[in-house]
Amino acid sequence: GDSVTQMEGPVTLSEEAFLTINCTYTATGYPSLFWYVQYPGEGLQLLLKATKADDKGSNKGFEATYRKETTSFHLEKGSVQVSDSAVYFCALVRGNTGKLIFGQGTTLQVKP
Amino acid sequence: KAGVTQTPRYLIKTRGQQVTLSCSPISGHRSVSWYQQTPGQGLQFLFEYFSETQRNKGNFPGRFSGRQFSNSRSEMNVSTLELGDSALYLCASSLLGTEKYGYTFGSGTRLTVV
């Protein structure tokens, strides 16, 4: 079945460091891919998405490119801030199922 | 534009009881899906409703059920609660339940079973 694998956390960085969180997926067909972020005590917020191969999603300085050949959707940010500390989830969905499949989440802690 | 509203935010129930959680989607959205989030299992899909019909269902026991009303508001019910049902329950709304429009999540209902 479909699945999403994220790099193990927690990831601890200093402010202004470069961030990469790896995400790979297994799915038949052409899923859409998402990154969600969850702050403590809150629900999930959509960070960015890509719906076809080679699409690049971007938002608030975060970027991710849909790589069909490597089945990956790695999240990157050039300079992280303390306020970026949160849990990041990679997810996929296929077709009109309304069913998001999530990775296990990666905790990011940014220190001043 | 109001977001996705889930009520209540917190619940404490006793084992064996039943519970009903509510989700009001973004106005105009017709798809509502539900997820269970636990530290051990992560985020797991429960079911999705579109125009009052259940379109998709995850691998949860029959104690977990849901419904959607004509105004797209949705409820999920858990009967005969078990300790393992303690979790954050999230709902997500989507215009048509397709990836093109994305999914917007509520803040969740934190259920504690004692």
Side-chain angles (χ1 to χ4, degrees):
Chain A
D2 298 344
S3 65
V4 175
T5 302
Q6 291 180 232
M7 63 186 288
E8 292 279 340
V11 174
T12 302
L13 296 173
S14 298
E15 206 164 22
E16 299 183 2
F18 184 86
L19 168 71
T20 299
I21 299 178
N22 291 337
C23 170
T24 57
Y25 68 90
T26 301
T28 56
Y30 300 92
S32 291
L33 302 174
F34 304 83
W35 276 101
Y36 280 89
V37 59
Q38 186 175 37
Y39 297 99
E42 297 185 14
L44 302 174
Q45 296 178 25
L46 178 63
L47 186 56
L48 53 84
K49 67 175 182 174
T51 59
K52 61 183 187 294
D54 300 324
D55 266 1
K56 177 185 280 188
S58 60
N59 185 28
K60 300 180 181 179
F62 291 90
E63 292 183 340
T65 301
Y66 188 163
R67 301 287 188 200
K68 182 73 175 172
E69 63 277 12
T70 55
T71 62
S72 64
F73 192 55
H74 304 322
L75 182 68
E76 296 182 336
K77 186 176 186 184
S79 176
V80 293
Q81 305 301 312
V82 172
S83 57
D84 294 327
S85 298
V87 182
Y88 292 81
F89 292 92
C90 184
L92 69 81
V93 69
R94 284 196 295 116
N96 300 342
T97 63
K99 177 181 179 180
L100 283 160
I101 294 172
F102 289 90
Q104 65 269 42
T106 301
T107 299
L108 170 66
Q109 184 178 30
V110 180
K111 297 187 173 181
Chain B
K1 191 174 185 181
V4 179
T5 302
Q6 290 190 246
T7 56
R9 285 296 307 272
Y10 302 93
L11 267 178
I12 301 176
K13 289 287 187 178
T14 302
R15 198 169 37 177
Q17 286 186 314
Q18 75 164 16
V19 66
T20 299
L21 312 181
S22 177
C23 174
S24 293
I26 291 172
S27 178
H29 283 196
R30 295 165 62 186
S31 167
V32 174
S33 45
W34 289 88
Y35 295 82
Q36 180 194 65
Q37 185 178 23
T38 59
Q41 299 299 315
L43 282 152
Q44 294 186 287
F45 173 78
L46 282 154
F47 30 65
E48 187 245 3
Y49 286 87
F50 179 81
S51 294
E52 302 180 65
T53 300
Q54 186 181 88
R55 279 202 304 197
N56 208 344
K57 189 177 187 305
N59 295 324
F60 278 81
R63 298 185 298 107
F64 292 81
S65 63
R67 60 178 174 169
Q68 187 179 34
F69 302 95
S70 58
N71 62 357
S72 293
R73 189 178 71 86
S74 177
E75 290 181 346
M76 69 163 278
N77 183 275
V78 188
S79 62
T80 318
L81 284 165
E82 301 177 359
L83 296 178
D85 297 333
S86 294
L88 180 66
Y89 290 88
L90 295 164
C91 81
S93 90
S94 171
L95 185 63
L96 296 175
T98 74
E99 65 270 24
K100 178 180 177 181
Y101 298 101
Y103 302 84
T104 303
F105 282 80
S107 297
T109 294
R110 172 77 61 186
L111 172 65
T112 302
V113 182
V114 298

